[in-house]
């Protein structure tokens, strides 16, 4: 597969670009965050992009489908493969594997509460359910991917808020394990689904709410990173007045 020279494809002309604003991506989104993202999309529309709302109902299931990959997949990769999975096609850094294996065995208490939770769930589902939920998620992944592929037959990219709220304050010292884990995992509603499906996605600053940044996520067809970068580049120039 030939990799294009992405920098040569970064033009400000987006008059032929069709953008789908993902309806489900705004569900339970803070109103001020939604306003910032929609204003960013309007800037692209004013420059000639074709903008329409699009619905992918299965998007609501995306984070749930991603769950077993997070719990079971991460656990098996970190502990079963000491940082690498068994089907990895690149270079295996054996020195890194040795270091991770030593660290996990000798200093498990140094792991964060969130990582410990991943370990507990990963080991529990392995022992009692022999990874059947990971397998079910893998089967559903095909349908999730197909749902986005169907939308992307009409649109070049789809957009939504990266995270539906602005950055939160750090937890106070002594916060409960439940609070810590919730805070560590509550921002993946829109993002984790594309980790599963393999669609290229990019987050770009769309503006600010109370001096806190708001991200707009641009998602494209699989293997079409160039269009995602092109739209992001065009918006960046509009945003900055360059």
């Amino acid at each position: 597969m030939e990799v294009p020279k992405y920098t040569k494809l970064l033009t400000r002309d987006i008059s032929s670009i069709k953008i789908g604003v993902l309806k489900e991506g705004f569900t339970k989104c803070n109103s001020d965050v939604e306003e910032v993202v929609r204003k960013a999309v309007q800037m692209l529309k004013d420059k000639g992009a074709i903008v329409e709302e699009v619905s992918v109902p299965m998007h609501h299931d995306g984070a749930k489908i991603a769950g077993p990959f997070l719990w079971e997949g991460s656990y098996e990769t970190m502990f079963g493969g000491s940082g690498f999975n068994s089907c990895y096609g690149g270079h295996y850094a054996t020195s890194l594997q040795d270091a991770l294996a030593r660290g996990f065995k000798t200093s498990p208490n140094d792991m964060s509460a969130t990582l410990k939770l991943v370990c507990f769930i990963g080991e529990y589902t392995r022992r009692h359910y022999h990874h059947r939920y990971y397998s079910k998620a893998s089967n559903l992944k095909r349908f999730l991917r197909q749902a986005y592929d169907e939308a992307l037959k009409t649109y070049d990219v789809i957009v939504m808020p990266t995270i539906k709220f602005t950055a939160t304050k750090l937890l106070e010292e002594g916060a409960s394990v439940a609070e810590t884990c919730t805070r560590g995992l509550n921002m993946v509603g829109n993002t984790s689904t594309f980790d599963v499906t393999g669609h290229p996605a990019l987050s770009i600053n769309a503006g600010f709410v109370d001096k806190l940044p708001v991200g707009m996520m641009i998602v494209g067809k699989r293997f079409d990173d160039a269009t995602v970068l092109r739209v992001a580049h065009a918006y960046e120039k509009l945003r900055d007045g360059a």
Side-chain angles (χ1 to χ4, degrees), residues 73-86 88 92-94 96-98 100-101 104:
S74 296
Y75 175 70
E76 288 296 332
T77 297
M78 287 186 293
F79 292 89
S82 298
F84 292 86
N85 63 38
S86 58
Y88 177 57
Y92 282 78
T94 54
L96 175 59
Q97 288 181 294
D98 291 340
L100 285 172
F104 288 140

Side-chain angles (χ1 to χ4, degrees), residues 135-161:
S135 299
K136 286 187 69 174
S138 294
N139 291 337
L140 289 170
K141 174 179 70 175
R142 300 196 302 273
F143 296 99
L144 182 63
R145 178 185 291 159
Q146 184 178 17
Y148 294 117
D149 286 345
E150 193 64 31
L152 287 163
K153 288 180 181 178
T154 302
Y155 301 99
D156 296 296
V157 296
I158 54 178
V159 300
M160 68 205 79

Side-chain angles (χ1 to χ4, degrees), residues 118-191:
V118 170
C119 294
F120 282 132
I121 295 177
E123 179 62 20
Y124 183 85
T125 53
R126 184 188 70 79
R127 289 188 188 184
H128 298 283
Y129 298 100
H130 44 271
H131 291 320
R132 74 182 306 270
Y133 293 110
Y134 184 94
S135 299
K136 286 187 69 174
S138 294
N139 291 337
L140 289 170
K141 174 179 70 175
R142 300 196 302 273
F143 296 99
L144 182 63
R145 178 185 291 159
Q146 184 178 17
Y148 294 117
D149 286 345
E150 193 64 31
L152 287 163
K153 288 180 181 178
T154 302
Y155 301 99
D156 296 296
V157 296
I158 54 178
V159 300
M160 68 205 79
T162 307
I163 300 177
K164 301 179 183 182
F165 50 87
T166 52
T168 55
K169 292 183 178 180
L170 293 174
L171 290 172
E172 298 289 337
E173 186 175 355
S176 69
V177 171
E179 289 175 310
T180 301
C181 292
T182 299
R183 184 67 61 84
L185 298 169
N186 67 352
M187 75 292 287
V188 301
N190 276 346
T191 58

